[in-house]
Short mmCIF file of all heavy atoms in Angstrom, two decimals:
data_model
loop_
_atom_site.label_atom_id
_atom_site.label_comp_id
_atom_site.label_asym_id
_atom_site.label_seq_id
_atom_site.Cartn_x
_atom_site.Cartn_y
_atom_site.Cartn_z
N VAL A 22 12.23 -40.36 -16.29
CA VAL A 22 13.37 -39.59 -15.95
C VAL A 22 14.61 -40.25 -16.40
O VAL A 22 15.49 -39.59 -16.99
CB VAL A 22 13.45 -39.47 -14.37
CG1 VAL A 22 14.76 -38.74 -14.01
CG2 VAL A 22 12.26 -38.64 -13.85
N CYS A 23 14.78 -41.58 -16.34
CA CYS A 23 15.96 -42.29 -16.80
C CYS A 23 16.15 -42.05 -18.33
O CYS A 23 17.25 -41.91 -18.81
CB CYS A 23 15.88 -43.76 -16.49
SG CYS A 23 16.06 -44.09 -14.74
N GLU A 24 15.05 -42.08 -19.11
CA GLU A 24 15.16 -41.92 -20.55
C GLU A 24 15.68 -40.49 -20.82
O GLU A 24 16.51 -40.33 -21.70
CB GLU A 24 13.78 -42.10 -21.21
CG GLU A 24 13.35 -43.54 -21.25
CD GLU A 24 11.95 -43.69 -21.73
OE1 GLU A 24 11.00 -42.93 -21.27
OE2 GLU A 24 11.74 -44.56 -22.58
N VAL A 25 15.28 -39.52 -20.11
CA VAL A 25 15.73 -38.17 -20.33
C VAL A 25 17.25 -38.14 -19.95
O VAL A 25 18.00 -37.52 -20.70
CB VAL A 25 14.90 -37.16 -19.48
CG1 VAL A 25 15.53 -35.77 -19.52
CG2 VAL A 25 13.45 -37.07 -19.95
N LEU A 26 17.61 -38.64 -18.82
CA LEU A 26 18.96 -38.53 -18.38
C LEU A 26 19.99 -39.34 -19.32
O LEU A 26 21.11 -38.97 -19.40
CB LEU A 26 19.13 -39.01 -16.91
CG LEU A 26 18.43 -38.10 -15.89
CD1 LEU A 26 18.52 -38.67 -14.55
CD2 LEU A 26 18.95 -36.62 -16.00
N LEU A 27 19.39 -40.37 -19.94
CA LEU A 27 20.24 -41.13 -20.79
C LEU A 27 20.70 -40.44 -22.07
O LEU A 27 21.79 -40.65 -22.63
CB LEU A 27 19.45 -42.42 -21.28
CG LEU A 27 20.10 -43.50 -22.00
CD1 LEU A 27 21.34 -44.06 -21.36
CD2 LEU A 27 19.19 -44.57 -22.50
N ASP A 28 19.90 -39.47 -22.52
CA ASP A 28 20.21 -38.64 -23.62
C ASP A 28 19.86 -37.16 -23.35
O ASP A 28 19.01 -36.56 -24.06
CB ASP A 28 19.50 -39.14 -24.88
CG ASP A 28 20.12 -38.59 -26.14
OD1 ASP A 28 21.07 -37.82 -26.06
OD2 ASP A 28 19.62 -38.95 -27.24
N LEU A 29 20.38 -36.62 -22.31
CA LEU A 29 20.12 -35.25 -21.78
C LEU A 29 20.24 -34.23 -22.85
O LEU A 29 19.37 -33.32 -22.96
CB LEU A 29 20.93 -35.00 -20.50
CG LEU A 29 20.53 -33.75 -19.70
CD1 LEU A 29 19.06 -33.79 -19.32
CD2 LEU A 29 21.41 -33.64 -18.52
N ALA A 30 21.22 -34.24 -23.68
CA ALA A 30 21.44 -33.22 -24.69
C ALA A 30 20.30 -33.25 -25.67
O ALA A 30 19.85 -32.18 -26.20
CB ALA A 30 22.80 -33.49 -25.35
N ALA A 31 19.77 -34.43 -26.02
CA ALA A 31 18.66 -34.47 -26.97
C ALA A 31 17.38 -33.90 -26.45
O ALA A 31 16.50 -33.36 -27.21
CB ALA A 31 18.42 -35.90 -27.45
N TYR A 32 17.20 -33.98 -25.10
CA TYR A 32 15.96 -33.53 -24.45
C TYR A 32 16.05 -32.03 -24.06
O TYR A 32 15.06 -31.39 -23.81
CB TYR A 32 15.66 -34.30 -23.27
CG TYR A 32 14.99 -35.63 -23.62
CD1 TYR A 32 15.70 -36.80 -23.66
CD2 TYR A 32 13.56 -35.71 -23.85
CE1 TYR A 32 15.07 -37.97 -24.02
CE2 TYR A 32 12.97 -36.92 -24.23
CZ TYR A 32 13.78 -38.03 -24.32
OH TYR A 32 13.13 -39.23 -24.59
N ASP A 33 17.28 -31.43 -24.06
CA ASP A 33 17.46 -30.08 -23.65
C ASP A 33 16.58 -29.14 -24.53
O ASP A 33 16.69 -29.17 -25.80
CB ASP A 33 18.92 -29.68 -23.79
CG ASP A 33 19.24 -28.24 -23.15
OD1 ASP A 33 18.46 -27.84 -22.27
OD2 ASP A 33 20.23 -27.68 -23.55
N GLY A 34 15.72 -28.36 -23.89
CA GLY A 34 14.88 -27.43 -24.62
C GLY A 34 13.58 -28.04 -25.10
O GLY A 34 12.73 -27.37 -25.67
N LYS A 35 13.38 -29.34 -24.95
CA LYS A 35 12.18 -30.10 -25.43
C LYS A 35 11.11 -29.99 -24.35
O LYS A 35 11.32 -30.08 -23.18
CB LYS A 35 12.50 -31.52 -25.74
CG LYS A 35 13.56 -31.78 -26.71
CD LYS A 35 13.04 -31.58 -28.13
CE LYS A 35 13.97 -31.96 -29.17
NZ LYS A 35 14.69 -31.07 -29.95
N ARG A 59 21.97 -46.72 -16.33
CA ARG A 59 23.23 -46.02 -16.56
C ARG A 59 23.22 -44.71 -15.82
O ARG A 59 22.33 -43.86 -16.00
CB ARG A 59 23.50 -45.85 -18.06
CG ARG A 59 24.92 -45.53 -18.38
CD ARG A 59 25.19 -45.42 -19.85
NE ARG A 59 24.98 -44.05 -20.22
CZ ARG A 59 24.80 -43.59 -21.46
NH1 ARG A 59 24.70 -44.47 -22.47
NH2 ARG A 59 24.66 -42.34 -21.72
N LEU A 61 24.50 -40.93 -14.90
CA LEU A 61 25.07 -39.79 -15.54
C LEU A 61 26.25 -39.34 -14.83
O LEU A 61 26.24 -38.97 -13.65
CB LEU A 61 24.02 -38.65 -15.63
CG LEU A 61 24.47 -37.37 -16.27
CD1 LEU A 61 24.89 -37.59 -17.72
CD2 LEU A 61 23.43 -36.32 -16.16
N ILE A 63 29.82 -36.99 -15.23
CA ILE A 63 30.59 -36.03 -15.96
C ILE A 63 31.86 -35.78 -15.19
O ILE A 63 31.78 -35.29 -14.07
CB ILE A 63 29.79 -34.77 -16.16
CG1 ILE A 63 28.52 -35.11 -17.02
CG2 ILE A 63 30.64 -33.68 -16.88
CD1 ILE A 63 27.54 -33.97 -17.17
N TRP A 68 25.82 -37.92 -10.97
CA TRP A 68 24.64 -37.14 -10.74
C TRP A 68 23.51 -38.07 -10.27
O TRP A 68 23.39 -39.20 -10.77
CB TRP A 68 24.18 -36.43 -11.98
CG TRP A 68 25.15 -35.31 -12.34
CD1 TRP A 68 26.29 -35.48 -13.15
CD2 TRP A 68 25.04 -33.97 -11.93
NE1 TRP A 68 26.92 -34.24 -13.22
CE2 TRP A 68 26.19 -33.32 -12.55
CE3 TRP A 68 24.18 -33.21 -11.20
CZ2 TRP A 68 26.40 -31.96 -12.34
CZ3 TRP A 68 24.43 -31.86 -11.00
CH2 TRP A 68 25.54 -31.26 -11.59
N THR A 71 17.56 -37.60 -10.94
CA THR A 71 16.51 -36.66 -10.61
C THR A 71 16.54 -35.41 -11.52
O THR A 71 17.56 -35.05 -12.07
CB THR A 71 16.60 -36.07 -9.16
OG1 THR A 71 17.84 -35.43 -9.04
CG2 THR A 71 16.50 -37.18 -8.15
N LEU A 72 15.38 -34.83 -11.62
CA LEU A 72 15.23 -33.56 -12.35
C LEU A 72 14.61 -32.59 -11.35
O LEU A 72 13.69 -32.97 -10.60
CB LEU A 72 14.22 -33.65 -13.51
CG LEU A 72 14.62 -34.67 -14.59
CD1 LEU A 72 13.44 -34.80 -15.65
CD2 LEU A 72 15.91 -34.28 -15.33
N VAL A 128 12.46 -29.35 -20.49
CA VAL A 128 13.74 -29.83 -19.94
C VAL A 128 14.82 -28.78 -20.19
O VAL A 128 14.93 -28.39 -21.43
CB VAL A 128 14.13 -31.19 -20.46
CG1 VAL A 128 15.56 -31.64 -19.94
CG2 VAL A 128 13.09 -32.17 -20.16
N GLU A 129 15.58 -28.41 -19.20
CA GLU A 129 16.69 -27.47 -19.38
C GLU A 129 17.93 -28.05 -18.67
O GLU A 129 17.81 -28.51 -17.57
CB GLU A 129 16.37 -26.11 -18.85
CG GLU A 129 15.30 -25.39 -19.56
CD GLU A 129 15.04 -24.01 -19.08
OE1 GLU A 129 15.50 -23.66 -17.94
OE2 GLU A 129 14.29 -23.26 -19.73
N THR A 130 19.05 -27.95 -19.30
CA THR A 130 20.42 -28.37 -18.70
C THR A 130 21.35 -27.30 -19.00
O THR A 130 21.07 -26.33 -19.73
CB THR A 130 20.70 -29.77 -19.13
OG1 THR A 130 21.86 -30.19 -18.30
CG2 THR A 130 21.15 -29.81 -20.66
N ARG A 131 22.57 -27.51 -18.55
CA ARG A 131 23.67 -26.62 -18.84
C ARG A 131 24.80 -27.38 -19.58
O ARG A 131 25.00 -28.61 -19.30
CB ARG A 131 24.26 -26.04 -17.50
CG ARG A 131 23.30 -25.24 -16.74
CD ARG A 131 24.02 -24.58 -15.53
NE ARG A 131 23.14 -23.57 -15.00
CZ ARG A 131 22.63 -23.64 -13.80
NH1 ARG A 131 22.87 -24.71 -12.99
NH2 ARG A 131 21.82 -22.65 -13.24
N LEU A 134 28.03 -28.64 -16.69
CA LEU A 134 27.52 -29.17 -15.43
C LEU A 134 28.51 -29.34 -14.38
O LEU A 134 28.12 -29.50 -13.12
CB LEU A 134 26.74 -30.50 -15.66
CG LEU A 134 25.39 -30.33 -16.34
CD1 LEU A 134 24.87 -31.72 -16.78
CD2 LEU A 134 24.36 -29.63 -15.41
N PHE A 147 21.16 -27.84 -10.88
CA PHE A 147 19.92 -27.06 -10.57
C PHE A 147 19.36 -27.42 -9.16
O PHE A 147 19.54 -28.63 -8.77
CB PHE A 147 18.84 -27.32 -11.65
CG PHE A 147 19.25 -26.86 -12.98
CD1 PHE A 147 19.95 -27.69 -13.87
CD2 PHE A 147 18.97 -25.55 -13.43
CE1 PHE A 147 20.33 -27.27 -15.14
CE2 PHE A 147 19.35 -25.17 -14.72
CZ PHE A 147 20.04 -26.02 -15.54
N SER A 153 20.81 -31.41 -9.10
CA SER A 153 20.21 -32.07 -10.28
C SER A 153 20.89 -31.63 -11.55
O SER A 153 21.17 -30.50 -11.77
CB SER A 153 18.67 -31.80 -10.34
OG SER A 153 18.04 -32.40 -9.27
N PRO A 154 21.08 -32.56 -12.56
CA PRO A 154 21.72 -32.24 -13.76
C PRO A 154 20.83 -31.46 -14.75
O PRO A 154 21.28 -31.00 -15.72
CB PRO A 154 22.14 -33.60 -14.37
CG PRO A 154 21.10 -34.49 -13.81
CD PRO A 154 20.76 -33.99 -12.38
N ALA A 155 19.52 -31.38 -14.47
CA ALA A 155 18.58 -30.70 -15.32
C ALA A 155 17.44 -30.25 -14.57
O ALA A 155 17.20 -30.70 -13.40
CB ALA A 155 18.12 -31.59 -16.50
N ARG A 156 16.67 -29.34 -15.08
CA ARG A 156 15.39 -28.97 -14.45
C ARG A 156 14.23 -29.14 -15.40
O ARG A 156 14.48 -29.09 -16.65
CB ARG A 156 15.50 -27.55 -13.88
CG ARG A 156 15.57 -26.51 -15.02
CD ARG A 156 15.65 -25.16 -14.30
NE ARG A 156 15.87 -24.10 -15.25
CZ ARG A 156 15.95 -22.80 -15.01
NH1 ARG A 156 15.86 -22.42 -13.67
NH2 ARG A 156 16.17 -21.92 -15.92
#
Side-chain angles (χ1 to χ4, degrees):
V22 171
C23 289
E24 288 172 314
V25 171
L26 294 176
L27 186 62
D28 196 359
L29 192 53
Y32 282 96
D33 189 23
K35 302 281 192 252
R59 196 174 91 198
L61 178 61
I63 299 173
W68 293 87
T71 61
L72 303 172
V128 175
E129 294 181 350
T130 190
R131 295 186 170 114
L134 282 170
F147 296 90
S153 292
R156 67 181 176 179

